[in-house]
Amino acid sequence: MLVWLENPNDDIYGPNSAPVPETKRERFFSSGERRELSVTSGTRDGYDGYGFRMWATEIHVEIENEGGAGRVEARLMEGNEIIDDAELMMDAGVTISHAFESDFADVDLEKIDIEVVSAE
């Protein structure tokens, strides 16, 4: 999605950005796939820059259990906000992969973190 910026150095998710919803295009890419996309828009008064918000529909995490077997809650976090969560059963001493699936359009992917806590 195209966003207008008051200053070219502004954060594309910051308060000085103005999303242009009509420029939103959904495309699906396989792992490692490359494509060229083109977006055209006229300039907007009051804005000196632009940027693009891009997001994934899946975020994959690896969770290593260094303790005993049991249930855990895996939380996908943006700062202090829980974006998505999942309760998982883990055996002792194993590593599992989990995919969080959602439309992460309003999430700043650079601020994503994973938190895992016991669910018991």
Side-chain angles (χ1 to χ4, degrees):
M1 178 186 305
L2 173 71
V3 293
W4 291 111
L5 304 171
E6 288 183 8
N7 178 313
N9 297 320
D10 285 345
D11 181 358
I12 59 172
Y13 293 95
N16 297 326
S17 68
V20 186
E22 61 269 16
T23 64
K24 179 179 176 181
R25 303 285 188 269
E26 291 187 24
R27 301 292 186 268
F28 299 93
F29 292 78
S30 297
S31 178
E33 179 181 358
R34 301 279 190 258
R35 288 192 217 170
E36 186 174 310
L37 298 176
S38 141
V39 175
T40 305
S41 180
T43 58
R44 186 177 283 178
D45 288 341
Y47 295 95
D48 292 329
Y50 65 91
F52 294 94
R53 291 182 183 173
M54 300 180 75
W55 57 92
T57 57
E58 289 184 357
I59 296 176
H60 292 261
V61 297
E62 298 281 322
I63 303 168
E64 181 180 356
N65 182 5
E66 296 175 348
R71 290 186 337 224
V72 296
E73 182 180 357
R75 300 174 183 156
L76 193 63
M77 308 288 293
E78 181 183 22
N80 293 326
E81 181 183 347
I82 298 174
I83 299 166
D84 199 358
D85 63 351
E87 192 169 301
L88 308 167
M89 183 63 188
M90 295 195 67
D91 292 328
V94 301
T95 298
I96 63 170
S97 296
H98 179 73
F100 289 98
E101 298 178 15
S102 182
D103 176 0
F104 297 108
D106 295 323
V107 176
D108 184 347
L109 295 177
E110 293 181 6
K111 295 180 180 173
I112 292 287
D113 198 9
I114 184 78
E115 178 179 280
V116 180
V117 296
S118 173
E120 298 182 345

